[in-house]
């Protein structure tokens, strides 16, 4: 992805039309209205036919077992409600203790990410769909999935939690604000600025999730201007952590050529 919260922002309408044309097997013009109409028509039936819907989640509330998904397009709704089984895959750092903690993130995330007071769509999901509307008889799966499963990913997070430097990066709420103010990122873009997770925090996440060997090259893009730390709502000392990753990669692989 080129940006944490806008992974396809670098694509032109012509590129999107070309991609969608290949998928649907007909030549589509680079007209946003038509492209959206075709996507709606084709994708809806796929969601209806699917046996399983797989999503991520922005927050998981331990108190109630509630998943929270925020989007500006509503594109998390069909996948979590139409198929009979919903599987949510999320990192363990997404878990917060209570609804109050989740509410604090819901206020900070859109403000830092897109300058909004609240994201356009905020979905709370607690277990499978249930209803007792008819004669107070509890029925599962009437308005949504009959089953909900949550897969918690470690992928280096637990080790980072024990790391005296990297544990601070686990506070990241993926708002992308650090990318927006990073001068080197603005020049080179997201495809080289980290491996999967991009931008300043991506340089740290890359080492955490994919190993130092993937972070060794991209980390050298950081100019240590400290702009990212100034805007980070989670107050993560990003430049210091990038320098730590840099020191570790130089120790492991030597100075970059
Ligand atoms: S490091 Fe901070 S600014 Fe960057 S995405 Fe995470 S929370 Fe947002």
């Amino acid at each position: 992805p080129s940006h944490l919260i806008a992974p396809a922002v670098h694509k032109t309408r012509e590129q999107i039309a070309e991609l969608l044309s290949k998928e649907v097997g007909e030549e589509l013009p680079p007209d946003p209205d038509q492209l959206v109409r075709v996507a709606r028509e084709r994708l809806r039936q796929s969601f209806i036919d699917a046996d399983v819907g797989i999503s991520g989640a922005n927050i998981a509330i331990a108190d109630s077992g509630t998943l929270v998904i925020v989007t500006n397009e509503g594109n998390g709704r069909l996948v979590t409600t139409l198929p009979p089984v919903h599987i949510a895959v999320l990192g363990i750092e997404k878990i917060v203790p209570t609804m109050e903690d989740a509410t604090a993130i819901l206020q900070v995330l859109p403000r830092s990410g897109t300058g909004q007071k609240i994201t356009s769509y905020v979905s709370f999901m607690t277990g499978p769909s249930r209803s007792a509307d008819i004669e107070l008889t509890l029925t599962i799966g009437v308005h949504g999935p009959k089953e909900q499963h949550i897969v918690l990913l470690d992928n280096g997070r637990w080790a980072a939690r024990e790391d005296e430097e990297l544990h601070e990066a686990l506070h990241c709420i993926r708002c992308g604000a650090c990318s927006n103010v990073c001068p080197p990122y603005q020049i080179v873009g997201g495809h080289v600025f980290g491996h999967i997770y991009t931008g300043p925090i991506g340089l740290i996440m890359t080492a955490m999730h994919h190993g130092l060997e993937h972070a060794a090259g991209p980390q050298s893009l950081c100019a240590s201007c400290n702009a990212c730390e100034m805007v980070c709502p989670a107050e993560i000392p990003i430049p210091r952590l990038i320098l730590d990753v840099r020191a570790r990669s130089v120790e492991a692989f030597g100075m970059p050529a």
Side-chain angles (χ1 to χ4, degrees):
S2 64
H3 193 282
L4 272 183
I5 61 166
V9 71
H10 57 292
K11 294 277 184 198
T12 63
R13 64 177 72 182
E14 286 77 16
Q15 288 172 322
I16 294 167
E18 195 185 327
L19 187 67
L20 207 50
S21 299
K22 257 191 228 151
E23 287 299 318
V24 302
E26 68 177 274
E27 196 63 35
L28 300 171
D31 172 54
D33 285 342
Q34 286 203 51
L35 295 174
V36 168
R37 185 181 49 75
V38 170
R40 283 179 73 93
E41 284 169 6
R42 302 292 180 114
L43 287 176
R44 197 156 293 244
Q45 194 57 45
S46 300
F47 285 118
I48 291 170
D49 295 340
D51 294 325
V52 173
I54 301 176
S55 76
N58 295 86
I59 309 168
I61 305 172
D63 237 7
S64 53
T66 303
L67 297 169
V68 187
I69 295 184
V70 299
T71 72
N72 271 324
E73 304 83 6
N75 53 348
R77 296 220 157 158
L78 296 185
V79 70
T80 54
T81 52
L82 283 183
V85 178
H86 171 212
I87 300 174
V89 183
L90 51 137
I92 50 178
E93 85 282 17
K94 298 281 173 64
I95 301 173
V96 299
T98 65
M99 179 64 86
E100 282 70 32
D101 300 303
T103 310
I105 294 175
L106 289 174
Q107 288 174 340
V108 169
L109 180 57
R111 195 178 66 196
S112 302
T114 49
Q116 293 166 282
K117 278 190 180 158
I118 187 161
T119 314
S120 304
Y121 296 84
V122 182
S123 304
F124 294 84
M125 290 159 282
T126 308
S129 160
R130 60 192 68 215
S131 167
D133 285 353
I134 302 170
E135 296 182 351
L136 296 179
T137 304
L138 181 64
T139 313
I140 302 291
V142 177
H143 304 296
K146 283 188 169 65
E147 292 178 31
Q148 185 188 66
H149 303 275
I150 300 174
V151 180
L152 294 174
L153 287 182
D154 178 354
N155 196 18
R157 291 167 174 86
W158 203 256
R161 183 177 179 270
E162 305 299 322
D163 187 299
E164 58 178 26
E165 294 289 340
L166 294 187
H167 73 272
E168 301 200 61
L170 292 170
H171 294 139
C172 176
I173 56 171
R174 309 286 193 275
C175 70
C178 50
S179 298
N180 298 342
V181 297
C182 173
Y185 176 90
Q186 285 169 19
I187 292 170
V188 302
H191 285 125
V192 293
F193 214 104
H195 177 72
I196 300 181
Y197 285 118
T198 61
I201 191 64
L203 300 183
I204 304 157
M205 295 292 183
T206 296
M208 185 190 296
H209 298 312
H210 308 287
L212 266 185
E213 65 275 23
H214 288 289
Q219 60 75 28
S220 65
L221 291 166
C222 172
S224 295
C225 70
N226 289 2
C228 50
E229 186 170 2
M230 304 278 287
V231 298
C232 176
E235 299 184 347
I236 299 169
I238 308 169
R240 198 189 82 219
L241 299 187
I242 294 174
L243 284 180
D244 185 71
V245 169
R246 180 172 297 175
R248 293 182 198 201
S249 36
V250 168
E251 203 170 304
F253 309 112
M255 293 291 281

